[in-house]
């Protein structure tokens, strides 16, 4: 990677991390500390937990499309400012209504699609997967850090201090965009990172993608609903004061990150990702039922939280890869846009429903409802096909001397190429390839006309 590519990848990974930190740090603390806010009820606390997801879901794809027209950086700058303003509103609030308003404003900073598009503008094809992996790692790490730092910050400075730190992180991310992240010379419409309007209908009709969209909707719904109940259960049943929850999450995340790795390796190497997915969903179902019968005491609840995070992190890490495998050539960006929208909608409705369920049927009713939702997902997951083990590749055709009419035939004839789409307006070809079979040298020869 060149110096510019390295700056782009590291800078945008940090922007993602700072933003996700601000989103997730409230999860382990809002159910307990939120009770001190004026007008707080379980239902309203649940709404505060999930409120950011509503605006994220509705603005994610439009912001990405706007960035195709006016540029990536202006959209990202506006988004980070909105996120900072939402954090300040929540920091100054002394009522649950004010926190909800702040969370809704935080969600208006829906810059994920614009960030990914900017990364595509600033990196070459051969390094893009590496750069995107850096962003994926930053998201996972930010979630882990948020689970630990959120309780510690709130213990030291209260909810107000937590939201002020979130505003500071947003402004730090804004500074990175302005000073550190390079400005591209031109915008590249990249169908692996951007939403193509003409691909939307086929994406919404694709049964396999719909199963994955339903899955991520349910997964984040379960996450938000569970975090209405888990902090309360750690206080009521495990006897852990809210100031001590951080070490439970630290233990759970460390164990879960190690525990999920063998399953991901097995699924990818042995090409058994459907089996791994269904197993993780079944584990999530059993964990939710376990929470109903766990009784009292620290050990049962710590073990339950570890099992929950192992299943959750395994699913969270593996599902984007499944979307990439299933999406047609040239359709990955659109598929990921719909997938992200489903994720944020799940987060919004999960938080809201979780608060209401707790207010009606207490912790047992909440966890039973989560188990039923996981059972529905398991029914959906077992009907999916084993995904094709292919990756997406974009080829620049501006330098090739091969006539356009021959490009598709030449590329499709190569061993390991499953699908080819040539977009004349972009002077690019999008391929789905089996990397274990494809001969890269043969691919270069085909484009060179030899």
């Amino acid at each position: 990677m060149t110096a510019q590519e390295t700056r782009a990848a590291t800078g945008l990974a940090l922007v993602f991390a700072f933003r996700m930190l601000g989103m997730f740090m409230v999860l382990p603390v809002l159910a307990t500390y939120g009770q001190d806010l004026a007008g707080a009820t379980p239902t309203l606390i649940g709404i505060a937990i999930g409120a950011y997801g509503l605006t994220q879901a509705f603005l994610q794809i439009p912001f990405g499309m706007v960035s195709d027209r006016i540029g990536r950086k202006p959209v990202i700058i506006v988004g980070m400012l909105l996120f900072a303003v939402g954090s300040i509103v929540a920091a100054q609030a002394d009522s649950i209504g004010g926190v909800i308003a702040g969370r809704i404003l935080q969600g208006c900073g829906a810059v994920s699609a614009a960030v990914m598009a900017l990364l595509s503008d600033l990196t070459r094809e051969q390094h893009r997967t590496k750069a995107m992996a850096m962003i994926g790692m930053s998201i996972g790490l930010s979630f882990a850090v948020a689970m630990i730092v959120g309780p510690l910050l709130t213990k030291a400075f209260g909810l107000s201090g937590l939201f002020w730190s979130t505003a500071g992180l947003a402004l730090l991310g804004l500074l990175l965009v302005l000073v550190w992240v390079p400005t591209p010379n031109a915008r590249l419409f990249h169908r692996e990172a951007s939403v193509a309007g003409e691909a939307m209908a086929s994406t919404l009709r694709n049964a396999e993608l719909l199963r994955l969209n339903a899955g991520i909707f349910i997964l984040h719904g379960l996450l938000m609903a569970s975090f209405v109940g888990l902090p309360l259960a750690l206080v009521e049943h495990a006897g852990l004061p809210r100031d001590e929850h951080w070490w439970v999450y630290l233990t759970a995340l460390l164990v879960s990150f190690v525990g999920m790795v063998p399953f991901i390796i097995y699924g990818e190497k042995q090409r058994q990702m459907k089996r791994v997915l269904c197993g993780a969903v079944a584990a999530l179902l059993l964990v939710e039922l376990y929470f109903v019968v766990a009784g009292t005491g620290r050990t049962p609840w710590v073990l339950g939280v570890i099992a929950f995070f192992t299943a959750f992190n395994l699913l969270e890490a593996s599902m984007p890869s499944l979307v990439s495998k299933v999406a047609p050539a040239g359709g990955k960006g659109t598929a990921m846009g719909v997938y992200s929208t489903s994720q944020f909608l799940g987060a919004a409705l999960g938080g809201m429903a979780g608060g209401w369920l707790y207010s009606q049927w207490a912790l047992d009713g909440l966890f039973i409802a989560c188990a039923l939702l996981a059972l529905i997902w398991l029914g959906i997951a077992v009907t999916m096909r084993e995904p094709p083990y292919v990756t997406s590749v974009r080829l620049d055709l501006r330098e090739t001397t091969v006539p356009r009419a021959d490009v598709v035939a030449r590329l499709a004839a190569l061993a390991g190429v499953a699908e080819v789409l040539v977009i004349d307006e972009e002077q690019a070809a999008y391929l789905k390839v089996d990397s274990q079979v494809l001969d890269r040298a043969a691919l270069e020869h085909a484009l060179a006309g030899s």
Side-chain angles (χ1 to χ4, degrees):
M1 293 175 74
T2 64
Q4 173 173 290
E5 288 172 326
T6 301
R7 284 177 60 184
T10 55
L12 292 174
L14 286 171
V15 169
F16 244 109
F18 292 157
R19 181 171 158 274
M20 299 311 288
L21 263 175
M23 290 293 189
F24 288 135
M25 280 196 297
V26 303
L27 284 187
V29 299
L30 203 50
T32 50
Y33 285 87
Q35 296 174 10
D36 300 334
L37 295 167
T41 65
T43 301
L44 290 177
I45 289 174
I47 291 173
I49 288 174
Y52 82 94
L54 274 181
T55 40
Q56 281 277 332
F58 289 119
L59 294 176
Q60 188 79 12
I61 291 176
F63 270 33
M65 290 181 167
V66 169
S67 78
D68 291 332
R69 293 181 176 273
I70 69 171
R72 320 299 187 194
K73 280 197 169 185
V75 170
I76 296 171
I77 290 167
V78 169
M80 296 303 286
L81 285 172
L82 285 170
F83 186 84
V85 170
S87 301
I88 292 169
V89 169
Q92 294 182 319
D94 56 7
S95 69
I96 191 66
V99 171
I100 291 171
R103 292 284 280 170
I104 289 171
L105 273 173
Q106 280 185 327
C108 289
V111 298
S112 298
V115 169
M116 298 303 286
L118 179 57
L119 188 69
S120 295
D121 293 342
L122 293 168
T123 53
R124 290 167 293 165
E125 186 65 40
Q126 61 266 39
H127 296 298
R128 195 163 294 129
T129 300
K130 192 189 311 179
M132 288 184 174
M134 291 172 68
I135 286 184
M137 289 172 59
S138 76
I139 295 172
L141 285 172
S142 66
F143 178 76
V145 171
M147 292 296 103
I148 301 158
V149 173
L152 291 174
L153 277 175
T154 311
K155 176 183 177 181
F157 306 107
L159 269 180
S160 177
L162 178 69
F163 283 117
W164 278 116
S165 66
T166 297
L169 287 170
L171 294 175
L172 190 55
L174 178 60
L175 186 63
L176 280 171
V177 173
L178 292 172
V179 176
W180 180 253
V181 177
T183 300
N185 296 323
R187 292 192 299 275
L188 170 69
F189 184 81
H190 193 303
R191 288 168 181 257
E192 300 303 291
S194 302
V195 173
E198 64 271 22
M200 185 63 73
S202 60
T203 298
L204 295 175
R205 290 196 302 266
N206 187 308
E208 295 303 308
L209 288 175
L210 288 175
R211 287 184 177 90
L212 293 170
N213 293 335
I216 197 63
F217 174 90
I218 292 173
L219 180 62
H220 277 258
L222 287 174
L223 176 68
M224 295 300 168
S226 295
F227 265 100
V228 172
L230 276 178
L232 298 173
L234 290 176
V235 172
E236 296 174 17
H237 298 324
L240 276 170
R242 62 188 186 181
D243 296 342
E244 295 183 24
H245 290 187
W246 65 272
W247 69 261
V248 178
Y249 300 125
L250 174 60
T251 304
L253 286 163
L254 289 175
V255 174
S256 67
F257 280 138
V258 174
M260 75 176 183
V261 171
F263 295 103
I264 292 179
I265 293 173
Y266 166 76
E268 290 290 351
K269 293 291 185 182
Q270 301 299 319
R271 302 198 166 188
Q272 295 289 340
M273 285 306 298
K274 176 184 175 180
R275 180 179 294 181
V276 170
L277 176 74
C278 291
V281 176
L284 209 55
L285 164 62
L286 293 174
V287 170
E288 295 289 355
L289 291 174
Y290 171 81
F291 287 149
V292 179
V293 299
T296 58
R298 291 189 179 187
T299 301
W301 282 94
V302 172
L303 291 175
V305 173
I306 290 172
F308 176 86
F309 273 111
T310 302
F312 173 83
N313 286 325
L314 176 57
L315 290 162
E316 182 79 355
S318 59
M319 289 182 68
S321 172
L322 291 173
V323 174
S324 179
K325 288 175 170 63
V326 170
K332 180 181 172 183
T334 306
M336 287 304 299
V338 176
Y339 174 86
S340 295
T341 298
S342 303
Q343 172 184 323
F344 289 122
L345 276 176
L349 296 180
M352 296 174 186
W356 181 80
L357 285 165
Y358 175 74
S359 71
Q360 299 297 310
W361 293 292
L363 286 173
D364 285 354
L366 171 60
F367 292 132
I368 289 171
C370 288
L372 290 173
L373 198 54
L375 180 62
I376 292 170
W377 185 9
L378 185 60
I380 295 170
V382 296
T383 65
M384 70 180 284
R385 301 174 184 171
E386 191 68 46
Y389 288 85
V390 293
T391 56
S392 301
V393 174
R394 182 185 188 274
L395 300 175
D396 191 334
L397 301 181
R398 286 175 294 182
E399 302 298 326
T400 184
T401 58
V402 178
R404 289 288 186 272
D406 297 338
V407 168
V408 173
R410 280 176 171 270
L411 294 175
L414 295 174
V417 175
E419 195 176 347
V420 180
L421 174 69
V422 172
I423 306 296
D424 289 327
E425 306 84 61
E426 297 179 39
Q427 295 185 294
Y430 294 89
L431 281 63
K432 301 296 293 239
V433 305
D434 185 335
S435 57
Q436 294 185 11
V437 177
L438 180 69
D439 183 344
R440 288 280 179 171
L443 183 63
E444 293 173 5
H445 289 319
L447 288 180
S450 56

